[in-house]
Structure formats: structure tokens, C-alpha cells
Amino acid sequence: MATNLPMCVVDYMDTTKSVEEQEIADAIRAVRKRLGNRVLILGHHYQRDGIVEHADYVGDSFMLSRKAADSDATVIVFCGVHFMAESADILTREDQAVLMPTLRAGCSMADMATLAEVERDWPTMLAEGGWKDPATRTDPGAPAEEGAAYLVPVTYMNSSAALKDFVGRHGGVVCTSSNAKGVLEWAFERAGLNGAVLFFPDQHLGRNTGLKLGLEEAVMPVWTPDEGANSSMDEARIVLWHGYCSVHERFTVPQIDAFRERYPTGVVVVHPECPRATVEAADDDGSTEHIKRFIEAQPAGSAIAVGTEINMVARMAKEHPDKHIECLDAEVCPCSTMYMIHPAFLLDVLERLEAGEMPNQVAVPADVQQGALVALERMLSITA
Ligand code: 13P
Ligand code: SF4
């Protein structure tokens, strides 16, 4: 079935390793064996195959944060992007260390909201919406008092630890794409009937989740730093920070239409970081783990178009040769920062670890950890 695939998928489906790649893979396995149980390797679904084959767990950002929180390993090597490793560091004990194969792997969407911008615009948002800061409450974790109107900050996991700390200090919570609906419901209970949620940094996940909760787009203004809101804040229920993912913004309705023309019985699944129209035109949407399960649930012979990062789509196509799986965008590029995690960097970190070093450690300062831990633990308790 896996014929006729767009060129990009075919390229990524090539499983043959060069001699050098094979040597690196063998060396990783050998050093890993010598290090034993003290090391846990976590890998996000977007990692290349040469990394995924060495991971103890592969999952979405929610599952990986849980695996980190539950782990007894003394060292966690996080193969993903920086905000994921920061969250793992916050959720693990002080005597556990989190390392990355390279510290350069960030997330361009996470960089679209800085602490300085959010702290600067926060009082203006409160004033424009007529809301109170939940930090003024004795128990910000409790449902809002009758008649009260708070602005509850909710940050997507794809944000810096400093922003998670801000959110924790202001009665808010973290969410991922797998629990955004439940987390927003929690936040609305704390905001009160006339209150609102500030959702950042991804406007698409915020808007798509708000729509699933029955909100109109008119009550979800987009907030751009230095410009303010693009529509009235008077009736706002969710203030959407202007951020977006450049990988997921590429998936469009015309691509879905073209796929359905070629495969009239085909199905389309996308990540909720895609724009509203794309999510609405798809058959289903959800986190990377949800996408994986959706694909697994389709019967043999199905044609499936997937709107998410190419390394994951190509891996799914390889793992399901009885189904036709293609990426919605034939030209799609990988998430360039996820792709920075090269097997040679993983080997380097493991070898240096064996030599007694602690390379590329992600250590969130204690004062930032405090609020961030509150916000992350609130998330874990909501979805427990
Ligand atoms: P998931 O939580 O669905 O794995 O998403 C993380 C991400 O960065 C998607 O672009
Ligand atoms: Fe960030 Fe987009 Fe890459 Fe996900 S795919 S890590 S949101 S840049």
C-alpha cells in the first residue's frame, strides 16, 4: 500500500543506514548497556528514527512529562525540544538530572511569548477586560466566588519555564494538546462567569479548544504585544496570544480537498496547532499520541492524510504498510529544531556521562521552579 507517496515521505521512509550511522547506533547501544538503569531516554514522536530506536519511551509532550515525573532514573536524556526538558527537570527530584543531546533545540512557537512581554501586557489586559488578578485570591486554586471575574492564565506546554512560573504565581495552569479542553474548563471555573482565560502562546490550539467548548470566535480576541487586542475585550472569554507553529500553519483546506479527491473514502487527522479551518475540515484532531492511535485504529486498506510533522508521518507509514499514509503537505519540512537532535549528539552525551561529566544539563533555577511546579502539578491533577 505504501506506494505513490509524496516524495518527502518516501525520502523519510528510507531506513537504510550508512556505515557511519550504523557505527553510531551500535556505539549508543553499547554505552547505554554499560550505563544501565540509571539512564532513561525519552523521545518525542517528532524525533528522527535514529533517535527513536534508542528511546525507552516515545510519546507526546503530556505522556513524556508523566514518564519523567514517575521515573527513578538518576539521569534523564530528553530527546525533544528545550521546553519539554525544562518541564522534566521541574517535575523530577533534585537528585535527578535532565540532559539534552544539544541545548540548541528550542521551539519557535515557545519563543513567541517572552516573560517580559507577558508581564508588561498583563496589567493592560486586566484593565481592558475589567478582570482581577487571581494572585490576589487567598486560594487561587478554588472555584471563583459568585460574581467575581478573574483573568486566569493558561500556558501551553510549549513555553519557557519562566512563563510557567508566571502562570503558577497567578493562579493559572499548564496544558498540552491532549488535555487542553479539561484544563480550560478548570480555568473557566476559576475565572468566574464574567471572567476570562489568557491562553498562550499558540492562538490556534486556544481557538480550536474554545470552539470545542462552544465559544464563538468573536469572544476570542487575538492579543499581539505592542498592538493589543484585534477586537473588543468587553465580551472576551479567551484572550489568545498571537503565537503559532510554522510547521502546522502550513496545513490547509485545499490540501484536504485534494486528498479527498484522490481518496474519496480516505480520512484526515491533524494536530490542533493547525488553523481553525483545517481542523474543522479534518475528520479528527488531537495530540501526537492521539494521531498515532487514530492511525492504528483505521482498518487495513485505509487511506490516511496526516497534518503533523514529517518524521512522525513517515514512521507511521513505515509501521503500517497495509495502509496508505501520507503527509497533507507534500512539501512539508521537518520541525527544524526537533531535527537538531542527531544520534551523534546523543552518543556524545552518553559517552561524556560515562566519563563522569554532566553535559548539556537543563537546570531550571529554584526560584523559577516554584510557580512552574504549581502550574504543572495543577495540570497533572486535572487530567489524573
Ligand atoms: P504533542 O503534545 O501533541 O506531542 O505536541 C507537541 C508539539 O510540539 C507539537 O508541535
Ligand atoms: Fe514547536 Fe512547532 Fe516544532 Fe512543535 S512542531 S516543537 S510547536 S516548532
Side-chain angles (χ1 to χ4, degrees), residues 37 53 55 79 179 245 262 274 307 347 357:
N37 291 345
E53 66 178 294
C79 300
N179 57 27
C245 166
R262 283 187 287 121
C274 292
L347 175 61
E357 290 178 49

Side-chain angles (χ1 to χ4, degrees), residues 44 46 60-62 83-84 156 158 177 248 271 273 287-288:
H44 187 264
Y46 293 166
D60 63 11
S61 50
F62 178 71
F83 69 80
M84 297 179 181
Y156 189 22
N158 302 31
S177 55
H248 289 92
H271 197 278
E273 286 175 14
S287 76
T288 51

